[in-house]
Amino acid sequence: LAVAGVVAWGDEDTRLNRAFMPSFVAGSDAKLNVEAWVTPPDYTGSAPFVLTPGEVANVPEHSEITLRVIGPGRPEIKIAPAGAMGASLHPRAGIDGAYESKIEVDRPMKVAVHFWGERASFPFTVIDDATPTVAFVEPPKLGDGDRTEFKYKLADDYGVEKLELIALRTDTPKDAGAVEDAVPIEMAGLAPKEEEGDYSQDLVRHRWAGLDVMVKLRATDASGAYGESEAVPFHLIEKI
């Protein structure tokens, strides 16, 4: 303590003031290096791209935003979504000394980097992921060899990953909810954006064979969103 007192002699007041009253000017003048880029979902087929602070970026829904901040202290990442409550992130420094945050964009929003004030902001608009559409071109009928046959068409902006024929029971109580069974349909293309196809399948081994049901088509895309056709009545044939 004696040595420290001698070394700091004549400067003790200044040192104590800096300890209890840090310099806001020094913090606001600190230099930050902010890097930001967008990684769209794989199913969109879009490549990642770098963001420019202050410029509005139009990104596919469910894109991932990566922010990397290099500076003298931990920044605050403020997220302001349109029509929802905002949030703040306080990332920890990685082994390289950079503070990194990842944010999913599912609606228009603004993401800003704060360190003694706002240092950079990135506003976003969103390209909505459309719901798949699917319909019967020709309704199901009983064809040769007791095969169920119909024609269909479908469309989606990024491609349909799964197509199913949904059978719904009509003889169950209403309070039991929808009782359904899904039969996979093999599409002609791989994740087609548009397709018209024919279906022909022997359903006599279906667990509801012999019953009158309602049937519809369900098309699902890579994000999990799905669209359905109108339901039509159909009798599932059974073998005697």
Side-chain angles (χ1 to χ4, degrees):
L1 287 174
V3 172
V6 172
V7 172
W9 184 260
D11 192 32
E12 64 275 12
D13 291 341
T14 303
R15 289 172 179 260
L16 285 171
N17 285 336
R18 282 205 303 266
F20 291 99
M21 298 180 65
S23 172
F24 292 94
V25 175
S28 62
D29 287 344
K31 291 184 179 180
L32 264 68
N33 181 24
V34 180
E35 300 174 350
W37 64 90
V38 174
T39 305
D42 291 338
Y43 61 81
T44 64
S46 301
F49 59 92
V50 176
L51 295 168
T52 301
E55 291 187 4
V56 178
N58 194 23
V59 303
E61 189 176 6
H62 304 302
S63 292
E64 183 179 70
I65 310 305
T66 302
L67 287 175
R68 278 175 54 86
V69 181
I70 300 175
R74 179 186 293 186
E76 179 182 14
I77 311 299
K78 292 188 176 182
I79 306 169
M85 291 185 63
S88 293
L89 304 177
H90 299 84
R92 293 180 178 274
I95 57 175
D96 59 353
Y99 299 88
E100 184 172 300
S101 293
K102 295 183 181 293
I103 303 155
E104 181 180 337
V105 178
D106 58 359
R107 67 179 67 197
M109 63 174 57
K110 174 186 172 183
V111 178
V113 178
H114 283 249
F115 186 79
W116 301 100
E118 184 177 300
R119 296 303 190 91
S121 65
F122 302 92
F124 299 98
T125 57
V126 173
I127 304 170
D128 291 332
D129 184 359
T131 300
T133 60
V134 63
F136 288 114
V137 176
E138 293 183 3
K141 64 179 181 179
L142 191 62
D144 295 337
D146 293 335
R147 300 176 73 86
T148 298
E149 299 177 351
F150 59 82
K151 293 184 179 181
Y152 66 88
K153 63 178 180 180
L154 55 81
D156 184 62
D157 49 358
Y158 296 120
V160 173
E161 292 287 329
K162 182 170 63 175
L163 180 62
E164 299 168 298
L165 177 67
I166 308 296
L168 300 106
R169 293 284 292 266
T170 59
D171 57 348
T172 55
K174 291 184 178 180
D175 58 3
V179 180
E180 63 179 44
D181 184 86
V183 177
I185 298 176
E186 185 176 350
M187 296 175 288
L190 181 63
K193 294 184 178 180
E194 289 187 8
E195 181 174 286
E196 291 195 21
D198 298 295
Y199 176 83
S200 178
Q201 186 69 40
D202 185 346
L203 297 181
V204 297
R205 292 180 178 82
H206 193 281
R207 60 177 179 151
W208 296 338
L211 296 180
D212 291 317
V213 296
M214 299 293 289
V215 292
K216 61 183 178 181
L217 295 171
R218 179 180 294 162
T220 308
D221 66 13
S223 70
Y226 64 87
E228 297 180 337
S229 71
E230 182 182 357
V232 297
F234 185 66
H235 179 76
L236 288 170
I237 192 70
E238 63 179 335
K239 285 287 188 183
I240 303 302

